[in-house]
């Protein structure tokens, strides 16, 4: 049965509603960034850019880097936007948009996030590259889907116990990256970590300006959390949603984090733009020969 127009919304030109993209506009290897302006920071390294579009916070460019076709797209901030971007990217490759039917043969995308993050461990220095092996989501996105098969409940239960989790907050979920992408992009230049994906930048990450927060010790509790030798290493706002939705849809995903702040030491990078650019170049060179 065709998917209803109210569920799969298309623009008059046949493009998906929010991203303004048609299937021919994207590659099978996709880099996501949060900031729309960072898209050009990635594609400035390309041999050429063949396609550009920009709608709302979703800026997309597709081109070629060292012979490999790549798409770079900005998601904006937060897992609510991840829900939009990843469902629409999947629709572009796995739904016949004219017939509004799921294709009999599905395509698996490789999706690599390049973003900034803050470390909560003293031993992880600013300007380091952290690859998220696991991610804990403090939003509720994955609970709206049939997602039990991709969650690591033993870790999320340990997290709630060790942090004395406030039961009026969303129930944390833990998800994992693509093992193949992790192996391919890791090196002596990277640190394998466990990322906490927060629902906000200020209170949810323990920052206090004029508003008091429910748990003043949450960051310390997260820093002290340890599950079988796996401590939480860093905080950001998209990775758990990326891993959860990608896993459910059959795509491979990995999150590359440029550490521009260390919350444990109070340090901030003296040149965060350069750190991000270094991570961009590192990631591009690693994914050129990705199978």
């Amino acid at each position: 049965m065709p998917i209803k127009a109210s569920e799969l919304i298309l623009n008059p030109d046949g493009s998906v509603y929010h991203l303004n993209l048609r299937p021919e506009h994207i590659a099978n290897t996709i880099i996501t960034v949060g900031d729309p302006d960072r898209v050009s920071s990635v594609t400035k390294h390309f041999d050429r850019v063949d396609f550009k579009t920009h709608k709302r916070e979703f800026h997309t460019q597709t081109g070629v880097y060292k012979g490999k076709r790549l798409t770079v797209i900005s998601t904006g901030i937060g897992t609510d936007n991840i829900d939009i971007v990843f469902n629409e990217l999947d629709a572009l490759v796995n739904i016949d948009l004219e017939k509004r039917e799921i294709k009999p043969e599905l395509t698996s995308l490789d999706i690599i996030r390049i973003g900034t993050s803050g470390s909560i461990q003293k031993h992880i220095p600013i300007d380091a590259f952290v690859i998220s092996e696991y991610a804990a989501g403090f939003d509720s996105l994955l609970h709206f889907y049939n997602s039990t098969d991709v969650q690591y409940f033993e870790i999320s239960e340990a997290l709630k116990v060790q942090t004395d989790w406030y039961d009026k907050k969303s129930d944390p979920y833990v998800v994992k990256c693509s093992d193949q992408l992790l192996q391919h992009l890791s090196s002596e230049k990277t640190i394998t970590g466990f990322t906490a994906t927060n629902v906000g930048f200020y209170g949810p990450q323990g920052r206090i300006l004029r508003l008091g927060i429910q748990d003043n010790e949450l960051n310390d509790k997260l820093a002290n959390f340890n599950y079988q030798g796996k401590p939480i290493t860093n905080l950001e706002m998209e990775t758990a949603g990326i891993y959860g939705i990608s896993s459910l849809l059959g795509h491979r995903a990995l999150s590359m984090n440029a550490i521009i702040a260390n919350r444990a030491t109070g340090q901030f990078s003296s040149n965060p733009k350069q750190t991000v650019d270094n991570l961009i170049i590192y990631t591009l060179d690693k994914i050129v020969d990705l199978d």
Side-chain angles (χ1 to χ4, degrees):
M1 180 179 295
I3 300 171
K4 296 178 181 178
S6 61
E7 311 307 291
L8 174 59
I9 305 171
L10 302 177
N11 297 311
D13 65 353
S15 62
V16 289
Y17 183 61
H18 295 92
L19 304 186
N20 204 35
L21 296 171
R22 295 195 302 270
E24 66 268 22
H25 293 152
I26 66 168
N28 283 352
T29 301
I30 296 173
I31 294 171
T32 70
V33 296
D35 184 355
D37 292 335
R38 192 173 294 149
V39 171
S40 296
S41 297
V42 178
T43 60
K44 71 180 182 181
H45 300 289
F46 281 21
D47 305 322
R48 68 175 192 270
V49 174
D50 302 319
F51 171 80
K52 296 180 181 181
T53 191
H54 197 160
K55 183 179 180 182
R56 305 187 188 189
E57 59 265 60
F58 309 119
H59 180 192
T60 305
Q61 295 188 23
T62 296
V64 175
Y65 177 78
K66 294 185 178 180
K68 188 176 184 70
R69 188 169 185 253
L70 301 170
T71 292
V72 186
I73 185 169
S74 60
T75 63
I77 297 174
T79 58
D80 50 347
N81 278 1
I82 294 303
D83 182 62
I84 293 171
V85 173
F86 279 59
N87 273 288
E88 292 193 4
L89 287 175
D90 180 77
L92 289 170
V93 295
N94 288 321
I95 296 175
D96 184 320
L97 300 183
E98 292 185 3
K99 295 180 179 179
R100 295 181 171 274
E101 295 177 351
I102 297 172
K103 295 179 179 179
E105 294 185 9
L106 301 180
T107 297
S108 178
L109 299 171
D110 286 331
I111 306 173
I112 297 96
R113 170 190 177 268
I114 298 177
T116 56
S117 183
S119 168
I120 58 173
Q121 300 292 345
K122 291 182 179 179
H123 70 276
I124 298 179
I126 53 174
D127 304 321
F129 301 161
V130 170
I131 303 181
S132 308
E133 180 180 15
Y134 290 89
F138 298 159
D139 60 307
S140 59
L141 175 60
L142 224 59
H143 299 312
F144 285 90
Y145 294 97
N146 294 323
S147 60
T148 55
D149 289 347
V150 303
Q151 293 191 48
Y152 288 76
F153 290 101
E154 67 279 9
I155 305 179
S156 57
E157 288 302 311
L159 177 63
K160 288 190 289 185
V161 170
Q162 292 187 36
T163 61
D164 190 23
W165 191 256
Y166 184 47
D167 63 7
K168 287 186 170 51
K169 294 176 181 174
S170 296
D171 202 36
Y173 60 89
V174 175
V175 283
K176 196 172 187 282
C177 72
S178 159
D179 290 330
Q180 297 95 330
L181 292 185
L182 175 63
Q183 182 177 1
H184 190 87
L185 274 81
S186 296
S187 75
E188 71 283 352
K189 295 182 180 180
T190 63
I191 299 168
T192 300
F194 186 163
T195 297
T197 295
N198 300 79
V199 294
F201 184 79
Y202 289 97
Q205 294 191 36
R207 291 183 172 92
I208 299 173
L209 301 183
R210 289 203 315 117
L211 296 176
I213 58 177
Q214 180 270 328
D215 188 348
N216 288 288
E217 299 177 355
L218 181 58
N219 279 5
D220 290 336
K221 293 176 181 177
L222 293 175
N224 291 324
F225 169 79
N226 193 299
Y227 179 81
Q228 296 184 359
K230 296 184 183 298
I232 289 179
T233 52
N234 60 303
L235 309 177
E236 52 73 77
M237 295 179 64
E238 290 88 35
T239 296
I242 289 173
Y243 286 0
I245 299 298
S246 293
S247 295
L248 290 174
L249 290 170
H251 304 302
R252 302 194 301 183
L254 192 70
S255 179
M256 309 289 291
N257 302 272
I259 301 299
I260 62 170
N262 188 302
R263 302 294 300 284
T265 64
Q267 295 175 297
F268 192 84
S269 175
S270 60
N271 195 346
K273 185 176 180 180
Q274 185 61 56
T275 299
V276 172
D277 199 51
N278 291 342
L279 180 58
I280 288 169
I281 294 170
Y282 174 87
T283 303
L284 285 172
D285 286 338
K286 280 288 188 179
I287 63 178
V288 164
D289 60 350
L290 187 60
D291 295 326

